[in-house]
């Protein structure tokens, strides 16, 4: 499995994990206590026809809180082992934000003050993780994220020797190493098998920008 060493901020994630796990444990304990009361005591006089709905809502709350704890444990393991892809982290944050957003609306309708406060903590921490994950995914798509297996190339366009274009932002192009000066005058004739070739076979070449007068070259 590929490593994903992305810059997940501990100040955001650790705070969110601790608060979410603690609040979820409180919700699970409260819901379990309410279920125990409904099973051992006759609440028909108090709840009436709503006893079944009360029991079902407590069970659903236990399931949602337990799912949040499991998702947080998975996030902790994957991020600590550098195995958490940004897309998976964003998906997990979206699921938690959606779930606790719906629960928050239901708590507001039920006018349960204590539950509203606890769910606000869960919703706020999940939303913070969602924003953090969205920023990481956005930077990864733009290629500006440092982490994982991403590394800027030294010469990604494969320029040929002697051909240099305008460098792209964020990349470093080494300077040319061949700085030898080449004269515009013609090179001397190559040697023949019996020494240098005859002068007549290779007439002298005048440099560019000169003319011949009285068998002497002068500058223009």
């Amino acid at each position: 499995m590929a490593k994903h060493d992305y810059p997940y901020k501990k100040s955001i994630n650790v705070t969110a994990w601790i608060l979410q796990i603690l609040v979820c444990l409180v919700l699970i304990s409260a819901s379990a206590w309410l279920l125990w009361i409904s099973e051992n005591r006759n609440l028909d006089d108090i709840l009436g026809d709503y006893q079944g709905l009360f029991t079902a809502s407590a069970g659903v709350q236990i399931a949602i809180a337990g799912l949040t704890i499991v998702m947080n444990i998975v996030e902790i393991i994957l991020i600590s082992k550098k195995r958490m892809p940004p897309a998976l982290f964003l998906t997990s944050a979206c699921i938690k934000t959606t779930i606790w957003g719906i629960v928050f609306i239901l708590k507001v309708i039920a006018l349960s003050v204590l539950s509203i406060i606890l769910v606000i903590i869960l919703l706020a921490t999940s939303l913070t993780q969602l924003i953090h994950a969205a920023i990481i995914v956005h930077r990864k798509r733009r290629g500006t994220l440092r982490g994982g297996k991403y590394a800027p190339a030294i010469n990604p366009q494969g320029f040929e020797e002697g051909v240099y274009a305008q460098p792209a932002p964020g990349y470093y192009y080494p300077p040319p190493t061949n700085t030898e000066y080449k004269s515009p005058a013609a090179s001397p004739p190559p040697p023949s098998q019996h020494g240098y070739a005859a002068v007549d076979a290779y007439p002298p070449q005048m440099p560019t920008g000169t003319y011949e007068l009285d068998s002497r070259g002068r500058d223009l």
Side-chain angles (χ1 to χ4, degrees), residues 140-200:
K140 182 176 182 295
R141 290 179 178 177
R142 294 185 60 185
T144 59
L145 182 66
R146 296 296 183 268
K149 303 181 73 175
Y150 173 85
I154 296 178
N155 189 0
Q157 299 182 7
F159 293 112
E160 297 180 357
E161 183 179 358
V163 179
Y164 298 92
Q166 185 69 23
Y171 295 103
Y172 168 75
Y173 298 97
T177 56
N178 186 9
T179 58
E180 180 183 358
Y181 173 75
K182 294 183 179 180
S183 174
S187 301
S192 63
Q193 296 180 356
H194 304 286
Y196 285 94
V199 178
D200 296 339

Side-chain angles (χ1 to χ4, degrees), residues 13-220:
N13 290 322
V14 173
T15 303
W17 291 330
I18 293 175
L19 291 177
Q20 289 175 7
I21 290 175
L22 290 177
V23 173
C24 286
L25 290 176
V26 171
L27 292 176
I28 290 174
S29 301
S31 299
W33 179 69
L34 292 175
L35 288 176
W36 178 82
I37 290 178
S38 64
E39 290 292 333
N40 292 274
R41 296 182 182 180
N42 188 9
L43 299 179
D44 292 339
D45 298 337
I46 300 174
L47 299 176
D49 296 335
Y50 295 99
Q51 183 174 358
L53 181 62
F54 174 79
T55 304
S57 63
V60 170
Q61 185 165 271
I62 291 175
I64 294 175
L67 176 63
T68 301
I69 294 176
V70 171
M71 293 176 67
N72 285 340
I73 293 175
V74 172
E75 290 176 2
I76 293 171
I77 295 174
L78 292 180
I79 291 179
S80 62
K81 294 184 175 295
K82 299 180 181 180
R83 304 291 186 182
M84 173 65 81
L88 181 59
F89 183 55
L90 178 62
T91 302
S92 178
C94 287
I95 293 174
K96 290 190 293 185
T97 304
T98 303
I99 290 175
W100 291 114
I102 296 173
V103 174
F104 172 74
I105 295 174
L106 296 176
K107 296 298 182 181
V108 171
I109 295 174
L111 298 177
S112 178
V113 179
L114 181 60
S115 297
I116 290 175
I117 295 174
L118 295 177
V119 173
I120 285 177
I121 296 174
L122 292 170
L123 180 60
T125 52
S126 299
L127 185 61
T128 303
Q129 285 187 306
L130 175 62
I131 295 173
H132 177 49
I135 292 174
I136 292 177
V137 172
H138 178 66
R139 290 179 179 176
K140 182 176 182 295
R141 290 179 178 177
R142 294 185 60 185
T144 59
L145 182 66
R146 296 296 183 268
K149 303 181 73 175
Y150 173 85
I154 296 178
N155 189 0
Q157 299 182 7
F159 293 112
E160 297 180 357
E161 183 179 358
V163 179
Y164 298 92
Q166 185 69 23
Y171 295 103
Y172 168 75
Y173 298 97
T177 56
N178 186 9
T179 58
E180 180 183 358
Y181 173 75
K182 294 183 179 180
S183 174
S187 301
S192 63
Q193 296 180 356
H194 304 286
Y196 285 94
V199 178
D200 296 339
Y202 294 90
Q205 302 292 331
M206 301 303 295
T208 305
T210 62
Y211 66 94
E212 185 176 358
L213 181 64
D214 297 333
S215 300
R216 290 175 295 177
R218 291 183 175 83
D219 295 334
L220 292 175

